[in-house]
């Protein structure tokens, strides 16, 4: 099932009159596809963390393809170390990353890259909701300029590049990440909306409302 359709079904099943979504990495890109197709709907505020987005088709050249193929193992390795820092420097983490890579397989990787390549064609200018785009200054997967370009595509967006953070800022410094998101939601939300987190266990740390759940 297409990511946009999947998210549409998930959001409908929540039974909420309004809510905030915090989406990380590929889940953030899937959320963009949802917004293009369905609009903001019941979303009150939107947070995209380390998204994969570019604003021009011409920016997807052969070097982009080579970059993401060659570094895919490293991206997976970074995620494992972010979740368990004690893995750093040990041989086990490379074996784990290789196993995750094989489980995803070429087909799964192509689904990600295909959605990424279609981002310049997404219509986001009609999304009249406050949007926060968070990136990491040291992110080698979702480069900081991706966050800046995405923020520019929304009519009501702000961008924050977290200094010294990589692709998993919610794991590298949970307190900092949570504070930034809570401040944004408190400035733009009516009261304390429910939050739904997409794509990262680290987002479970958010406590913007009672009963925060993660949709993965």
């Amino acid at each position: 099932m297409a990511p946009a359709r999947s998210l549409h079904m998930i959001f409908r099943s929540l039974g909420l009159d309004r809510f905030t979504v915090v989406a990380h990495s590929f889940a953030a890109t899937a959320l963009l596809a949802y917004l293009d197709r369905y609009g903001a709907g019941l979303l009150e505020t939107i947070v995209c963390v380390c998204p994969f987005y570019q604003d021009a088709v011409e920016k997807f050249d052969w070097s982009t393809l080579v970059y993401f193929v060659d570094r895919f193992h490293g991206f997976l390795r970074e995620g494992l170390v972010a979740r368990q820092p004690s893995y750093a420097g040990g041989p086990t983490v490379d074996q784990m990353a290789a196993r995750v890579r094989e489980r995803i397989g070429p087909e799964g990787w192509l689904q990600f890259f295909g959605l990424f390549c279609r981002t310049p064609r997404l219509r986001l200018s009609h999304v009249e909701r406050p949007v926060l785009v968070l990136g990491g200054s040291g992110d080698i997967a979702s480069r900081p300029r991706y966050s800046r370009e995405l923020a520019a595509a929304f009519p009501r967006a702000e961008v924050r590049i977290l200094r010294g953070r990589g692709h998993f800022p919610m794991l590298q410094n949970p307190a900092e990440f949570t504070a930034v998101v809570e401040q944004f939601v408190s400035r733009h939300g009516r009261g304390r909306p429910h939050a739904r987190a997409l794509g990262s266990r680290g987002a479970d740390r958010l406590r913007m409302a009672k009963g925060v759940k993660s949709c993965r």
Side-chain angles (χ1 to χ4, degrees), residues 33-194:
Y34 165 85
L35 294 171
D36 169 68
R37 181 172 178 180
Y38 297 101
L42 298 177
L43 302 184
E44 183 171 63
T45 51
I46 300 164
V47 181
C48 293
V49 185
C50 300
F52 289 96
Y53 176 89
Q54 292 198 106
D55 59 6
V57 174
E58 295 76 17
K59 293 181 179 179
F60 289 96
D61 55 18
W62 289 109
S63 66
T64 308
L65 176 64
V66 172
Y67 180 87
F68 279 95
V69 170
D70 288 350
R71 289 166 175 77
F72 188 51
H73 178 88
F75 299 158
L76 297 175
R77 187 184 190 280
E78 180 186 355
L80 292 169
V81 172
R83 288 171 171 80
Q84 183 54 261
S86 63
Y87 289 159
T92 304
V93 67
D94 284 310
Q95 298 171 5
M96 294 170 65
R99 187 163 185 175
V100 173
R101 182 188 63 200
E102 293 309 310
R103 288 187 63 183
I104 294 173
E107 182 180 1
W109 185 92
L110 287 171
Q111 290 180 8
F112 149 73
F113 195 74
L115 186 60
F116 182 27
C117 287
R118 291 191 290 274
T119 54
R121 298 184 175 89
L122 298 178
R123 299 171 297 106
L124 302 174
S125 60
H126 66 295
V127 180
E128 295 286 345
R129 296 290 192 278
V131 178
L132 172 63
V133 184
L134 287 176
S137 66
D139 193 342
I140 62 172
S142 171
R143 303 175 185 182
R145 70 173 176 85
Y146 296 170
S147 294
R148 297 188 181 98
E149 291 178 11
L150 177 57
F154 287 108
R156 298 180 59 194
E158 57 190 82
V159 62
R160 176 93 175 262
I161 306 300
L162 302 176
R163 185 178 297 277
R165 307 302 172 212
H167 194 61
F168 300 90
M170 75 291 293
L171 297 176
Q172 293 176 307
N173 192 324
E176 174 191 47
F177 178 83
T178 302
V180 171
V181 175
E182 285 188 332
Q183 290 168 10
F184 170 76
V185 173
S186 65
R187 282 191 286 114
H188 295 286
R190 295 174 298 168
R192 296 174 64 83
H194 288 275

